[in-house]
Amino acid sequence: MHPCTVNGMAVGNGAPVRLMGVINCSPESFFPGSYVPRSDVLERALSMTGAGADLVDVGARSTAPGSRPITVQEEIERITAALVCMDGSGVTVSVDTMHPAVLEACLRHEIHAINDIGGLANPEYAAIAADSGLPVIAMAARRIPGDPRGTAATLAALYEVVRRADAAGIEDLILDPGVGRWTPERTFEDDWDLCRNFRRFKEPGFPVLLAISRKSFIGDLLGRSSEERLAGTLALTARLLPSADIVRAHDVVETHDALFVVRKLEDRS
């Protein structure tokens, strides 16, 4: 596996599974309980790292189908307000945006990784990311985020992401298969197909992000709202953990405990 380092922390290649907490600065989010107002950002980030998060992922735009669109300028204002609060805090931060102008604004602050749901399909974005020298988490995307359907198409998209990263000169890369209903064409069965075959996403040879926290395909199965999907999320996380190098979670305390228990079960020393 290609090694990857985020702020001095090894990811993949035999390193422990890393835990990423979500700092959501978008009140339009599919999970209202995840919204963090600016006044609480630093406290929430420190609480997450204190509870076992290795890094926090900061985003300011909801990408759920049907969510209220916002301008690039509004996204910049939201996310930079959060980053100002965390500058100098010692928290390892990734930024979740797919817009070049937003990424440029984020790079004026103390960040350590870039999370692109656009899969580096935007050459301008890819060039900015490469010039930053930061590791990139890139989601499966052919033209728009999450547009491949099924395991084979998703794997092909991830190989294309690897080619884009190589062409741009990005060395530290983490792949995200993009579980979730990113486009109207995607179905919940598409998501279950990706989960059943999650181990295959290690085939390109890069660390893999597991990002299933409270997503709608879990709610569809259980008949639960986003506020009621924690148990389902943890059950699926535990099953998929052998194929993940980072777990992205809204619920850091509970997910940390789940990872700890699975790690103990696998400890044969």
Side-chain angles (χ1 to χ4, degrees):
M1 178 184 291
H2 294 267
C4 182
T5 303
V6 178
N7 195 25
M9 175 180 67
V11 178
N13 213 27
V17 176
R18 305 303 184 181
L19 178 55
M20 170 190 281
V22 178
I23 298 286
N24 177 10
C25 302
S26 169
E28 302 85 16
S29 172
F30 79 98
F31 175 34
S34 68
Y35 172 62
V36 183
R38 174 183 178 178
S39 58
D40 297 341
V41 164
L42 179 58
E43 180 182 358
R44 182 69 64 88
L46 293 175
S47 174
M48 285 181 167
T49 56
D54 297 291
L55 69 164
V56 298
D57 191 41
V58 182
R61 176 189 295 268
S62 175
T63 51
S67 59
R68 180 180 76 85
I70 64 171
T71 65
V72 169
Q73 185 57 40
E74 189 172 358
E75 184 182 355
I76 289 172
E77 291 169 359
R78 288 178 176 184
I79 200 166
T80 55
L83 295 176
V84 164
C85 296
M86 288 189 289
D87 282 343
S89 67
V91 175
T92 299
V93 176
S94 67
V95 290
D96 180 0
T97 184
M98 59 180 291
H99 295 285
V102 181
L103 179 57
E104 286 187 319
C106 292
L107 288 169
R108 301 186 187 106
H109 297 273
E110 193 175 337
I111 67 172
H112 308 93
I114 296 164
N115 186 0
D116 178 25
I117 63 170
L120 301 172
N122 183 327
E124 180 186 1
Y125 187 106
I128 296 168
D131 287 345
S132 76
L134 295 176
V136 175
I137 303 164
M139 197 175 84
R142 292 175 299 185
R143 294 178 300 277
I144 60 174
D147 56 357
R149 293 182 60 186
T151 299
T154 297
L155 192 55
L158 290 176
Y159 275 109
E160 178 60 28
V161 168
V162 171
R163 287 191 287 270
R164 292 169 187 161
D166 184 62
I170 294 168
E171 297 182 359
D172 280 333
L173 181 66
I174 298 166
L175 298 178
D176 176 4
V179 179
R181 195 171 185 195
W182 296 94
T183 67
E185 295 77 22
R186 292 274 290 257
T187 68
F188 295 135
E189 281 305 315
D190 290 331
D191 289 328
W192 288 111
D193 180 64
L194 297 187
C195 291
R196 291 186 188 103
N197 295 284
F198 203 81
R199 66 189 181 280
R200 294 206 58 197
F201 304 127
K202 305 281 275 191
E203 291 177 12
F206 290 85
V208 174
L209 174 75
L210 176 63
I212 58 168
S213 182
R214 294 183 178 265
K215 289 193 172 178
S216 55
F217 74 104
I218 297 172
D220 177 69
L221 175 69
L222 300 175
R224 304 287 189 187
S225 68
S226 59
E227 290 86 349
E228 301 171 309
R229 298 172 188 165
L230 177 57
T233 296
L234 294 176
L236 187 55
T237 297
R239 287 298 301 270
L240 299 182
L241 203 55
S243 300
D245 298 291
I246 300 183
V247 175
R248 185 179 187 272
H250 296 96
D251 308 279
V252 167
V253 172
E254 295 84 353
T255 307
H256 176 268
D257 285 356
L259 301 186
F260 190 79
V261 168
V262 172
R263 196 173 295 131
K264 178 61 177 178
L265 185 66
E266 295 174 345
D267 183 5
R268 300 181 184 275
S269 59

